[in-house]
Amino acid sequence: MIKNLFKNIGPGTLVAAAFIGPGTVTLCTLAGVNFGFNLLWAMVLSIVATIVLQEMAARLGIISQKGLSEVIKSEIKNPMINRLMMLLILSAIVVGNASYEAGNISGGMLGLETVFGQVIVDVFGFSVNIMSAVIGVIAFVLLYIGNYKFLERALITLVLLMSVSFVITAIVTKPNLLDILKGAFVPKSPEGSLLTIIGLIGTTVVPYNLFLHASLVKERWKDKGDLKAAKKDTIVSIILGGLVSMAIIVSAASISSGEIKNASDLAESLAPLYGDFAKYFLSVGLFAAGITSAITAPLAAAYVAKGCFGWQGGLQSKKFRGVWIFILLLGVIFSSFGIKPIEIIKFAQVANGILLPVIAGILLWVVNRKVVLGNYVNSKAQNILGLTIVLITVFLGLKGVFKVFGINLF
């Protein structure tokens, strides 16, 4: 039974691995600490929205046997709009993922440091954190092997490890189940929670996952008959990922302290209340969250660059490897020296804020084109859901862009 359950699980798990990064873990921690179970409904909404969009991306990848950036490039006929779209996509995904990669590696590093402590060495007068190099080497080895099945199995293992770690941590805190259900299905917006709600949705419904998913499914599935398996994979994996995020909120809700700023602080705070094993479970989950995102972010950027430039070849091609090596290396350097490239991150946030509604809208347009999907275009129900999500992403995108520039219009 378990063998059959996991038989078709694959690309969707990599998408779950991508959206549960250190940023999501930190935001969920703060949501739980500051607002208890009250914002769990935002995660339920995020899970539904992510399933709808990722199912469209997966269907597009299987039927067209192309990545999302390749389809956009071929379907937008106006040369100027086409070039602008390719520039926006490259800026948001490649530059964005390069700037976020340091955060992914730093998140995995925090998990290791909570258990083993810091390992700092002096190199030519600079203090270098060895743990970030360890995360970087693990990510490099997994990506360099360049075998999709191997990479898929490694990430599934890490996601399961992360899931078990965070869920056990939540169970250990002995939460009230009725309060959890109320938080999940009765929307509330406590004072000062709007930005956190937007953040929870924004860290789950992310543009680079749409590109990643469309590219990954065609590595795994080649036939229209595989659509059912891909849909099941998407639904199961994203629900699993959403439950992980909810488990972090539940764990954090048991702590009433303003001193907690990230999951590492939460791990330390859980230890005196629930024993050291709670701390270790959470630390392992944080390590797995960091390393899975440290792998999927460079991978997504490489797929996007491949589609935008029309490169041939697979995971082992030199150009493909060149992109993810560059992004991974940048992340290791920034995290090792504790550098925070604020201006690059701000640029990436603006680009992503613009890209999310644009790509969600284009995806909705593409999956309604019979010339691309034939009889597998969207149903009316899928279009209604899709349009609702596009409107939400427009709001999120505007909010994100205004936040970067310090403008508060909502």
Side-chain angles (χ1 to χ4, degrees), residues 9-67:
I9 301 301
T13 315
L14 275 67
V15 170
F19 77 70
I20 311 169
T24 304
V25 174
T26 299
L27 198 59
C28 289
T29 298
L30 295 175
V33 169
N34 296 326
F35 305 106
F37 302 143
N38 288 319
L39 301 187
L40 286 172
W41 65 269
M43 281 310 309
V44 174
L45 177 65
S46 302
I47 291 164
V48 173
T50 306
I51 287 172
V52 171
L53 290 178
Q54 296 296 157
E55 187 279 329
M56 290 181 197
R59 184 165 20 110
L60 178 67
I62 291 172
I63 300 299
S64 70
Q65 284 296 297
K66 292 179 181 177

Side-chain angles (χ1 to χ4, degrees), residues 11-349:
T13 315
L14 275 67
V15 170
F19 77 70
I20 311 169
T24 304
V25 174
T26 299
L27 198 59
C28 289
T29 298
L30 295 175
V33 169
N34 296 326
F35 305 106
F37 302 143
N38 288 319
L39 301 187
L40 286 172
W41 65 269
M43 281 310 309
V44 174
L45 177 65
S46 302
I47 291 164
V48 173
T50 306
I51 287 172
V52 171
L53 290 178
Q54 296 296 157
E55 187 279 329
M56 290 181 197
R59 184 165 20 110
L60 178 67
I62 291 172
I63 300 299
S64 70
Q65 284 296 297
K66 292 179 181 177
L68 181 53
S69 51
E70 293 170 81
V71 173
I72 292 170
K73 191 176 182 180
S74 64
E75 289 304 306
I76 296 178
K77 307 300 181 186
N78 185 296
M80 187 173 286
I81 296 173
N82 195 305
R83 287 193 194 99
L84 281 172
M85 275 305 305
M86 292 301 106
L87 182 63
L88 179 61
I89 291 166
L90 282 167
S91 300
I93 306 297
V94 179
V95 178
N97 284 7
S99 59
Y100 295 142
E101 183 68 356
N104 295 330
I105 293 170
S106 297
M109 192 170 74
L110 274 177
L112 288 178
E113 285 177 352
T114 306
V115 178
F116 300 109
Q118 280 193 334
V119 183
I120 306 288
V121 297
D122 190 71
V123 180
F124 302 115
F126 293 98
S127 294
V128 178
N129 195 315
I130 293 299
M131 291 299 186
S132 63
V134 171
I135 301 286
V137 168
I138 294 170
F140 179 86
V141 170
L142 290 173
L143 284 165
Y144 195 82
I145 288 168
N147 180 288
Y148 172 74
K149 284 189 177 179
F150 176 81
L151 188 63
E152 179 186 272
R153 285 169 188 163
L155 282 168
I156 287 172
T157 303
L158 284 166
V159 169
L160 289 174
L161 179 67
M162 174 170 63
S163 306
V164 170
S165 299
F166 285 131
V167 169
I168 288 177
T169 306
I171 291 168
V172 163
T173 63
K174 298 178 182 176
N176 184 304
L177 291 178
L178 187 59
D179 288 343
I180 289 175
L181 289 171
K182 282 181 183 175
F185 298 106
V186 181
K188 289 181 185 176
S189 182
E191 189 178 343
S193 65
L194 182 61
L195 278 181
T196 307
I197 292 167
I198 291 167
L200 288 172
I201 297 169
T203 59
T204 309
V205 189
V206 289
Y208 90 72
N209 271 347
L210 298 172
F211 292 92
L212 182 65
H213 205 176
S215 295
L216 288 174
V217 289
K218 62 189 182 67
E219 299 276 355
R220 175 72 180 265
W221 293 301
K222 307 289 182 187
D223 190 76
K224 293 171 184 177
D226 294 320
L227 283 172
K228 190 177 178 182
K231 190 173 183 178
K232 185 195 290 184
D233 166 49
T234 302
I235 293 169
V236 171
S237 300
I238 290 167
I239 287 175
L240 179 65
L243 288 174
V244 169
S245 296
M246 292 172 80
I248 299 164
I249 295 174
V250 169
S251 301
S254 67
I255 304 293
S256 54
S257 169
E259 298 299 313
I260 295 173
K261 294 178 181 177
N262 56 45
S264 182
D265 293 340
L266 176 62
E268 295 291 356
S269 299
L270 287 174
L273 293 173
Y274 304 106
D276 277 342
F277 65 95
K279 163 186 163 179
Y280 293 132
F281 274 122
L282 194 64
S283 300
V284 168
L286 184 57
F287 162 74
I291 202 163
T292 51
S293 292
I295 292 167
T296 51
L299 189 65
Y303 272 124
V304 165
K306 179 175 181 273
C308 287
F309 292 117
W311 295 339
Q312 299 302 310
L315 292 168
Q316 296 182 348
S317 67
K318 287 182 180 178
K319 289 177 181 176
F320 190 91
R321 278 180 170 168
V323 174
W324 67 251
I325 287 172
F326 172 73
I327 288 170
L328 182 59
L329 190 61
L330 223 60
V332 170
I333 291 168
F334 285 153
S335 60
S336 295
F337 292 96
I339 301 168
K340 293 181 179 177
I342 300 298
E343 293 307 315
I344 300 174
I345 289 171
K346 279 185 177 179
F347 169 77
Q349 285 176 331

